Amino acid sequence: MQTTAFVATIFDGKSNPNKVTVAFTTALNALLKGHSATIILMVEAVELGKPGATDGIDIGAPFEPVSDLLAKFREGGGKIAVCGACMKHNGFSAEDMDPAYEIITAPDVVDLLMNAEGTLQIT
């Protein structure tokens, strides 16, 4: 996976819409400030790698719905990475994930984090 200037790592999925919203909001803002950005979906957050999985996640103002944030993030060139081991551990396969998302390994996660200028880990 190509490294980016900003990496947001999220561990929670639909069970914690506040954390999901903050991760996507922050990553989108990195793009809007002119930085390249990647969101890594790990642990339970891998469920967000399924097409349409962010639909309905909306914690309300002043935040935008996550599906809107995701669309803007991807339109702006943001990348989504899915932890392959976490995906398998949670009962998903690559076929379950959005084909635009890259399935990555632990060494890829290390490379992304070590080469980023800034990171945000939401656990």
Side-chain angles (χ1 to χ4, degrees), residues 19-42:
K19 289 182 179 181
V20 173
T21 301
V22 169
F24 280 83
T25 299
T26 306
L28 174 59
N29 276 275
L31 283 179
L32 295 174
K33 293 180 74 62
H35 305 287
S36 57
T38 298
I39 296 172
I40 304 174
L41 305 176
M42 298 186 74

Side-chain angles (χ1 to χ4, degrees), residues 4-8 30 35-38 112-113 115-121:
T4 55
F6 181 81
V7 176
H35 305 287
S36 57
T38 298
L112 283 166
L113 293 174
N115 290 299
E117 296 172 25
T119 65
L120 174 68
Q121 284 82 47

Side-chain angles (χ1 to χ4, degrees), residues 26-95:
T26 306
L28 174 59
N29 276 275
L31 283 179
L32 295 174
K33 293 180 74 62
H35 305 287
S36 57
T38 298
I39 296 172
I40 304 174
L41 305 176
M42 298 186 74
V43 190
E44 293 171 10
V46 296
E47 72 180 355
L48 302 174
K50 294 173 62 177
T54 61
D55 294 349
I57 302 176
D58 183 0
I59 63 171
F63 295 98
E64 296 180 53
V66 175
S67 57
D68 294 348
L69 295 167
L70 174 59
K72 291 177 184 178
F73 182 74
R74 292 187 62 200
E75 288 168 11
K79 305 293 183 199
I80 305 286
V82 178
C83 169
C86 300
M87 177 188 72
K88 290 176 186 173
H89 177 75
N90 283 284
F92 298 109
S93 69
E95 291 76 29

